[in-house]
Amino acid sequence: MKRSIVNRAVYLLGVAIYSAGILSSCTTQATEPANILTAGTSSTPKELPVVEAELTSPPMVPKPITRKTAAKVVVRLEVREVVKKLADGVDYTFWTFGGTVPGKFIRIRQNDEVEFHLMNHPDSKNPHNIDLHAVTGPGGGAASSFTPPGHETVFSFKALNSGLYVYHCATAPVGMHIANGMYGLILVEPEEGMAPVDKEFYVMQGDFYTKGAFGAPGLQPFDMQKAMDEKPTYVVFNGSVGALTGDNALKAKTGEKIRMFVGNGGPGMVSSFHLIGEIFDTVYPEGSFNTKTNVQTTLIPAGGAAIAEFKTDVPGNYVLVDHAIFRAFNKGALGMLKVEGPEDKSIYSGQILDKIYLPEGGTIQEMPTAKAPAAPKAESKEERITLGKAVFARNCQACHQAEGQGVKGAFPPLAKSDYLNADVHRAIGVVAHGLEGQIKVNGELYNSTMPKLQLSDEEVANVLTYVLNSWGNKGGVVTTEEVIKTKAISKE
Amino acid sequence: MNRLLLFLLLLCCQPLLAQKSTTRQMAPVASGTFVPLYGAAKDRVPVKGFLLDKYPVTNAEFLAFVKQQPKWQKSAVKKVFADQNYLRHWASDQSIGPDAAKLNNSPVINVSWFAAKAYCECQGKRLPTVNEWEYAALASETKRDATNDEAFYQRSLEWYSQPNPKYLPAVQSSFRNYYGVYGMIGLVWEWTSDFNSAMLQSDARAGNSNDQQQFCGAGASNATNVKNYVAFMRYAFRSSLKPSYTVGNLGFRCAQSSKVELARR
């Protein structure tokens, strides 16, 4: 009903305009249309200085703002539809703000007036617009920036609120425009500015939906069904698998203060942003200038952002992930920060030891860095028994059991053991070198493995002395010298 | 009113009527109903049978038109009727230029609504309405209504997703649909006579606001089929236009009401 009225009205208006045009075209010269650029309708009484915004492609961030007063900032952002790599051997038609995913980083100051130019490249197939979450006004600017290919639109806004904000395209079908990569970040610095840091990075997560499975090669078309089911084929940082790894890894030096501006374009996924091996000293959750300290993983909603700050203490590779971890290892949500510089063993030692673990135990070898405290030396039989008991508990008890009873059919007994008591030197060899193959103990056959134990000669002497003086065995003392001698003879 | 229009028409196309072109034939599109993007499924919109050009208008055809209608040449056209990119891919007023061989048979682009309208009127035709165009575009090679044909839909979606090629293909190279009309989807976007009557708002998400009364097909919230992305993209594209705009992938084809056709015979 309404539609027909509107239609008719539009039609009549069209006819009127057209007729007027025809008539005027026959009579008068048409006047040149006024060029509508620099259209900022400033309501401030004094003229603000005009600044052309510095825009950067990810992972770079424009220089911090040093101005102490507001300015009129001119931002010129070009929309391009480009075919680029989504993963190795996989291409995708990205729709972009400035040729990259995410789009160019915009940095302004609270209370700046922004004159925003949106240019849509003539080769684009579709019209586009922009909704900046930093804008106070209908659609975040979308309604004023609807731009067909080969055109440019201009609107102005005042940045009333500080914060790190997402911008994105809002042209129907909105989901598809965002799913094709149309998002980026705009930082509105607070009036007092931000504390200086050594490095700033721009990272933005997004999910992609392709007809083919993850890694399926070729130019992959958009899969609407997967998008509506919110089952992404790819979840990536900065627009492609590997955008932040290998040669593209972010780089820093030890002792630097790092600030990451992290966004999440979505369209569908919430990011559990985490940097493996670092704790964020400060996080500005949801891009708001209120801080939290000592954060491990910060949640970034679709269409949201966060600022994460930390100091690099220890060199190495630090991996950025969406901690919904299958996305990191199976869908691409993985980046890297390479930190170079001197080691600081007091904070992180690196690997000290790599050895076979067997539940029978094993002792620690010497520490490469610190001096291990000297092992206590037994001065008497009693001390040998006391120290040997501790060695037994750590290394032998798991198999031979607390009372030396062993486990029938698996681990031979030490209590009242004919095999043990018959030959102490043989026992020394077994403890020092281990034993493999069939033996007969107290009439039972055993055929398993006794591992070679990493014990000092002193410990071998002590543990054997303890065993010989427990559970009804024959007693006696095994000295360290005896162990050394026996080991030398029985060396296999 | 009609008399005035006829007068204007004559004024516009005195010396020539209907340039005879070898490729220029029309196909009948039979009457029927369809559900457009806006409105509810129960409100099927009737479309009267009409004739539609088999191909979008080509560069060669449009060149012949501007040669006979100098006021539609690049340097002469009034700014209110076409923006500065009008025919920007042509070398000059009366020459396509070095790429002519590649472009002669490709759809003409960078033409405004006013120019397209004038061209059709000089052929004794008119631009199709949005409803006529959308109705005819529902057809795949074999079906009148391929709305639920997934392969056809995906093909359309993929074409709408790709940026423009350097040289648009010849009009005959595209697929022939059920009606015998070529390249409704896959060549260029096309002007319609009432392109701005059913609009998506420039901000496509403002669904249930009073603005709906201005934009009949406002937001996604009152679309019949929110899954119909290809229709969304067409309506979004039309909504972004003004009649003087020219775009590098926007062409047109002409239509005729069957009744007029019969009356002529």
Side-chain angles (χ1 to χ4, degrees):
Chain A
M1 203 57 197
K2 279 215 174 75
R3 222 180 69 77
S4 62
I5 293 169
V6 173
N7 266 344
R8 188 163 169 74
V10 167
Y11 173 75
L12 288 174
L13 188 65
V15 167
I17 291 170
Y18 180 68
S19 312
I22 289 281
L23 293 172
S24 69
S25 73
C26 296
T27 51
T28 58
Q29 282 291 323
T31 49
E32 288 291 310
N35 276 330
I36 42 136
L37 290 184
T38 59
T41 48
S42 168
S43 57
T44 47
K46 62 174 169 40
E47 281 293 299
L48 291 173
V50 178
V51 183
E52 191 80 23
E54 177 203 0
L55 305 179
T56 57
S57 296
M60 309 319 292
V61 179
K63 287 186 284 298
I65 300 213
T66 50
R67 281 184 282 116
K68 295 287 174 253
T69 51
K72 179 169 171 173
V73 182
V74 181
V75 176
R76 299 177 202 273
L77 196 54
E78 184 194 43
V79 173
R80 304 193 66 143
E81 299 171 3
V82 291
V83 175
K84 288 180 97 157
K85 187 182 103 162
L86 176 56
D88 281 333
V90 184
D91 283 340
Y92 189 77
T93 306
F94 294 94
W95 298 352
T96 71
F97 287 108
T100 57
V101 178
K104 302 259 190 222
F105 195 103
I106 307 166
R107 189 169 196 158
I108 58 173
R109 182 178 175 276
Q110 193 179 355
N111 291 325
D112 278 352
E113 283 186 19
V114 179
E115 181 186 288
F116 202 100
H117 296 241
L118 189 71
M119 295 90 80
N120 191 355
H121 195 277
D123 285 344
S124 294
K125 185 65 76 64
N126 292 279
H128 298 287
N129 61 8
I130 190 164
D131 167 355
L132 300 114
H133 291 179
V135 170
T136 306
S144 312
S145 57
F146 197 27
T147 316
H151 279 253
E152 174 178 356
T153 55
V154 184
F155 72 99
S156 255
F157 71 93
K158 187 169 183 179
L160 299 178
N161 307 69
S162 65
L164 179 63
Y165 295 98
V166 168
Y167 66 75
H168 62 88
C169 184
T171 299
V174 182
M176 184 174 174
H177 283 252
I178 296 176
N180 283 346
M182 299 198 77
Y183 42 79
L185 292 179
I186 174 168
L187 173 67
V188 184
E189 285 196 23
E191 290 197 298
E192 63 274 18
M194 297 176 76
V197 292
D198 297 302
K199 293 243 164 68
E200 291 182 325
F201 295 114
Y202 172 20
V203 176
M204 198 158 183
Q205 183 174 318
D207 25 294
F208 290 88
Y209 303 81
T210 61
K211 268 274 174 250
F214 181 90
L219 179 61
Q220 285 291 331
F222 167 70
D223 188 316
M224 201 174 88
Q225 195 57 50
K226 278 188 193 170
M228 284 192 298
D229 295 344
E230 298 182 7
K231 292 205 168 12
T233 329
Y234 295 85
V235 182
V236 295
F237 294 122
N238 288 10
S240 66
V241 178
L244 293 176
T245 58
D247 292 345
N248 306 319
L250 305 174
K251 289 176 183 64
K253 294 187 179 65
T254 49
E256 285 188 323
K257 199 162 182 207
I258 310 289
R259 177 181 288 144
M260 284 187 178
F261 297 103
V262 190
N264 182 9
M269 300 292 112
V270 168
S271 176
S272 307
F273 186 72
H274 177 81
L275 182 53
I276 299 175
E278 264 294 351
I279 294 113
F280 298 131
D281 299 327
T282 310
V283 164
Y284 303 77
E286 296 174 17
S288 145
F289 280 99
N290 300 301
T291 57
K292 274 203 170 105
T293 51
N294 301 336
V295 175
Q296 55 187 314
T297 302
T298 191
L299 203 62
I300 308 179
I307 304 171
E309 293 172 355
F310 56 96
K311 190 166 156 283
T312 52
D313 297 298
V314 178
N317 288 345
Y318 294 83
V319 179
L320 297 69
V321 293
D322 178 341
H323 214 299
I325 211 72
F326 280 101
R327 298 178 192 170
F329 296 106
N330 301 85
K331 296 191 171 185
L334 194 138
M336 199 168 275
L337 171 69
K338 284 189 174 156
V339 177
E340 289 179 344
E343 299 275 0
D344 184 345
K345 299 285 189 191
S346 70
I347 296 177
Y348 185 70
S349 69
Q351 190 173 76
I352 296 169
L353 175 70
D354 174 13
K355 65 186 192 62
I356 301 293
Y357 165 75
L358 286 163
E360 297 85 7
T363 53
I364 300 230
Q365 294 172 317
E366 66 183 30
M367 309 273 277
T369 48
K371 264 215 166 75
K377 273 185 82 91
E379 302 292 334
S380 65
K381 180 178 170 181
E382 277 63 47
E383 277 187 28
R384 280 209 188 278
I385 291 172
T386 308
L387 291 168
K389 186 176 182 183
V391 174
F392 181 87
R394 284 200 305 269
N395 300 290
C396 319
Q397 196 172 301
C399 300
H400 293 291
Q401 306 298 308
E403 297 302 317
Q405 68 269 39
V407 174
K408 212 177 169 102
F411 307 116
L414 301 177
K416 293 199 185 82
S417 162
D418 54 0
Y419 185 89
L420 167 71
N421 290 310
D423 186 346
V424 171
H425 289 112
R426 180 173 65 183
I428 292 171
V430 168
V431 174
H433 305 300
L435 181 71
E436 220 165 13
Q438 188 168 288
I439 55 168
K440 199 175 194 175
V441 183
N442 294 355
E444 296 276 346
L445 284 176
Y446 291 89
N447 190 358
S448 59
T449 302
M450 160 117 172
K452 176 179 178 174
L453 294 166
Q454 303 282 337
L455 297 174
S456 68
D457 300 328
E458 172 80 4
E459 286 172 318
V460 174
N462 293 346
V463 78
L464 279 169
T465 305
Y466 166 71
V467 169
L468 286 172
N469 289 284
S470 307
W471 319 309
N473 286 326
K474 70 175 186 183
V477 176
V478 178
T479 64
T480 311
E481 293 72 36
E482 229 176 325
V483 172
I484 294 168
K485 261 206 306 236
T486 311
K487 267 171 76 176
I489 295 163
S490 65
K491 207 171 207 142
E492 293 154 1
Chain B
M1 187 73 181
N2 277 344
R3 215 177 268 178
L4 173 71
L5 274 177
L6 194 67
F7 167 72
L8 290 172
L9 237 161
L10 289 173
L11 199 78
C12 159
C13 292
Q14 243 167 355
L16 91 156
L17 256 171
Q19 311 159 10
K20 288 283 173 280
S21 150
T22 48
T23 59
R24 184 54 50 201
Q25 308 146 33
M26 302 186 88
V29 177
S31 301
T33 61
F34 83 117
V35 182
L37 182 67
Y38 54 86
K42 63 182 192 324
D43 303 326
R44 293 186 73 87
V45 171
V47 176
K48 278 206 195 79
F50 66 105
L51 296 168
L52 188 60
D53 281 354
K54 282 188 178 176
Y55 306 103
V57 174
T58 64
N59 281 299
E61 288 167 330
F62 202 79
L63 183 64
F65 163 73
V66 302
K67 280 180 176 164
Q68 289 174 308
Q69 296 290 322
K71 69 173 178 183
W72 289 108
Q73 289 173 11
K74 273 211 286 191
S75 62
V77 76
K78 297 272 185 287
K79 288 283 173 277
V80 288
F81 292 146
D83 67 23
Q84 69 221 44
N85 284 336
Y86 178 69
L87 296 175
R88 68 189 277 263
H89 61 298
W90 287 12
S92 66
D93 275 356
Q94 301 202 27
S95 160
I96 296 171
D99 288 333
K102 289 198 187 80
L103 293 177
N104 274 334
N105 257 341
S106 302
V108 67
I109 48 170
N110 293 318
V111 290
S112 66
W113 177 83
F114 290 110
K117 188 170 175 292
Y119 176 95
C120 290
E121 282 166 1
C122 288
Q123 319 294 315
K125 300 177 189 175
R126 58 175 173 80
L127 284 171
T129 64
V130 169
N131 282 349
E132 286 172 339
W133 198 99
E134 287 285 321
Y135 172 74
L138 290 178
S140 66
E141 284 92 332
T142 53
K143 297 194 198 89
R144 272 183 71 166
D145 184 348
T147 305
N148 299 317
D149 178 339
E150 201 163 317
F152 177 70
Y153 179 85
Q154 181 65 29
R155 193 177 70 189
S156 308
L157 191 66
E158 284 171 31
W159 179 74
Y160 287 148
S161 305
Q162 301 305 323
N164 305 335
K166 186 161 167 45
Y167 298 105
L168 288 166
V171 291
Q172 296 86 347
S173 66
S174 186
F175 84 98
R176 177 184 189 276
N177 78 5
Y178 175 89
Y179 302 108
V181 172
Y182 288 76
M184 290 294 281
I185 294 163
L187 283 174
V188 283
W189 305 101
E190 296 183 12
W191 280 111
T192 47
S193 57
D194 55 339
F195 69 95
N196 54 353
S197 63
M199 285 178 67
L200 292 169
Q201 280 153 323
S202 39
D203 182 354
R205 303 153 302 168
N208 286 318
S209 68
N210 293 336
D211 293 353
Q212 270 185 43
Q213 290 156 20
Q214 299 164 36
F215 308 115
C216 314
S221 54
N222 58 341
T224 325
N225 180 358
V226 291
K227 285 183 168 184
N228 196 348
Y229 278 24
V230 292
F232 265 120
M233 287 159 102
R234 288 196 294 264
Y235 278 89
F237 193 93
R238 291 183 193 117
S239 310
S240 73
L241 299 170
K242 295 194 171 83
S244 64
Y245 281 14
T246 68
V247 182
N249 50 22
L250 175 59
F252 71 101
R253 71 180 77 210
C254 308
Q256 237 173 12
S257 305
S258 297
K259 256 196 313 204
V260 173
E261 183 66 13
L262 292 172
R264 289 202 171 178
R265 287 181 199 160

